[in-house]
Amino acid sequence: MGGRTPIEPQRVDAPLTSSATFLVLSVKLEDDAAINTVRSTLASVEGLSKNVSIRDLSASFACTVGIGSDAWDRVTRQPRPAELHPFKEFHGKKHTAISTPGDLLFHIRAQRRDLCFEFERQLLDSLGDAVSVVDETVGFRYFDVRDLLGFVDGTANPVGPAVTDSIVVTEQDDPASAGGSYVVVQKYVHDLTAWRNLSTEQQEKVIGRTKLENVELDDAPGGQQQSHKSLATIEDDQGEEHDILRDNMPFGSPGSKEFGTYFIGYSRKLWVTEKMLCRMFTLDRDDVLCTFSDSIG
């Protein structure tokens, strides 16, 4: 019966699917009518999801909604989560983790592309001119859960009971936001030509895993450039490791020659994702440039 059971609303840990749409919208925050439309539509997301998922209950349709810092107070009229704030840009020597506009995030996923399309159509019809589309990215599963760089993506995700421990805010963390989760997205465009000019060994040193077998490599010696795997391992001041849940997906169009990875990370503690991103962009494993308090939220 599991394949015929609709996925509960806002299930961050919904199954990985073959298709996803990442939809970011801006809300007319100064317009009372727009706010009312947004609030009414968000209240109806469960019903919209059922309208779509009932067409194929085996397709694992799910939609998770995120509300941004700037829109939270006007849209929800609820206490603010303890760590919620506008995204802070992280500047590295070559790249920047940018901050872009966006008040609402819809993470729409299913095994069938048409279900994602139909839900998005009904959703935007309901929202009307209360919102504007900031970004719409369609992701797809690439072979055996690999990114377009050719490596398996998501190996470090928590599994089993560790998923809930990593992504769900607890009463002890923040009573007003217990049961929620923080989400951060970034849209990365890859220079595949430059990447393919690297040898497989060079690529593996960058990622920290073997390309074919997905076997974890040892950390580079001190003083040498650390791999993505090493930089993305986050510990607090007491040495306890913290995980996030990634549901990244490749996107791209050979015709437009734009290819990349849509990063989406859910976490119980926002500072964990922020520190991970800061390390990735500043290449600073010693946290000289990436200092976040682990006592928040």
Side-chain angles (χ1 to χ4, degrees):
M1 292 295 292
R4 290 189 51 81
T5 303
I7 295 172
E8 296 176 12
Q10 291 293 92
R11 283 302 299 259
V12 172
D13 60 346
L16 292 172
T17 55
S18 60
S19 182
T21 299
F22 305 96
L23 181 66
V24 179
L25 307 175
S26 283
V27 179
K28 295 179 180 178
L29 295 176
E30 303 307 317
D31 186 329
D32 290 341
I35 294 297
N36 289 336
T37 296
V38 169
R39 298 184 82 243
S40 174
T41 301
L42 293 183
S44 71
V45 164
E46 180 177 0
L48 289 176
S49 296
K50 287 181 179 179
N51 287 346
V52 173
S53 64
I54 194 66
R55 305 178 192 210
D56 183 353
L57 287 172
S58 67
S60 300
F61 176 87
C63 176
T64 306
V65 183
I67 301 174
S69 176
D70 292 342
W72 181 272
D73 298 328
R74 285 276 281 153
V75 171
T76 72
R77 302 174 188 171
Q78 298 294 320
R80 291 177 67 82
E83 290 191 75
L84 184 64
H85 60 79
F87 183 78
K88 174 186 174 184
E89 292 189 343
F90 302 114
H91 299 272
K93 292 182 179 179
K94 295 185 63 176
H95 303 290
T96 297
I98 63 174
S99 177
T100 56
D103 299 313
L104 300 174
L105 166 70
F106 293 88
H107 181 193
I108 308 163
R109 42 193 156 163
Q111 297 292 8
R112 293 173 48 172
R113 167 67 187 136
D114 58 341
L115 297 187
C116 295
F117 168 88
E118 180 61 18
F119 177 86
E120 182 183 1
R121 185 188 67 79
Q122 293 187 25
L123 174 72
L124 291 177
D125 281 350
S126 178
L127 288 168
D129 61 5
V131 302
S132 57
V133 176
V134 175
D135 184 69
E136 177 193 40
T137 299
V138 175
F140 55 89
R141 180 180 293 173
Y142 189 58
F143 297 125
D144 50 336
V145 201
R146 293 181 183 265
D147 56 29
L148 296 184
L149 303 179
F151 286 80
V152 174
D153 195 9
T155 303
N157 273 344
V159 295
V163 175
T164 299
D165 291 342
S166 299
I167 65 174
V168 178
V169 178
T170 67
E171 288 279 350
Q172 183 178 3
D173 297 327
D174 180 6
S177 302
S181 184
Y182 293 100
V183 60
V184 175
V185 298
Q186 290 273 287
K187 186 175 180 178
Y188 301 136
V189 177
H190 302 322
D191 184 345
L192 290 184
T193 300
W195 178 253
R196 288 168 180 162
N197 284 334
L198 299 176
S199 67
T200 298
E201 183 179 7
Q202 289 173 314
Q203 293 179 359
E204 291 176 341
K205 286 182 178 180
V206 170
I207 300 300
R209 292 182 176 275
T210 60
K211 193 169 185 177
L212 179 62
E213 305 90 348
N214 192 37
V215 175
E216 184 175 306
L217 301 177
D218 292 336
D219 292 341
Q224 295 186 18
Q225 177 57 57
Q226 298 298 309
S227 68
H228 171 79
K229 180 264 297 183
S230 299
L231 293 169
T233 300
I234 305 300
E235 296 180 347
D236 60 23
D237 294 340
Q238 287 71 48
E240 180 181 354
E241 188 171 323
H242 293 268
D243 293 324
I244 69 171
L245 182 68
R246 306 164 185 80
D247 205 356
N248 304 347
M249 292 200 89
F251 67 90
S253 166
S256 67
K257 292 182 170 53
E258 181 182 73
F259 310 91
T261 298
Y262 200 97
F263 167 87
I264 178 166
Y266 292 98
S267 61
R268 170 182 166 187
K269 299 176 182 293
L270 181 58
W271 70 263
V272 175
T273 309
E274 290 182 324
K275 179 177 278 192
M276 186 178 297
L277 290 173
C278 183
R279 283 183 168 190
M280 287 164 52
F281 280 83
T282 64
L283 304 180
D284 175 27
R285 190 185 182 192
D286 296 326
D287 293 336
V288 175
L289 302 175
C290 304
T291 302
F292 299 91
S293 171
D294 58 22
S295 63
I296 303 176

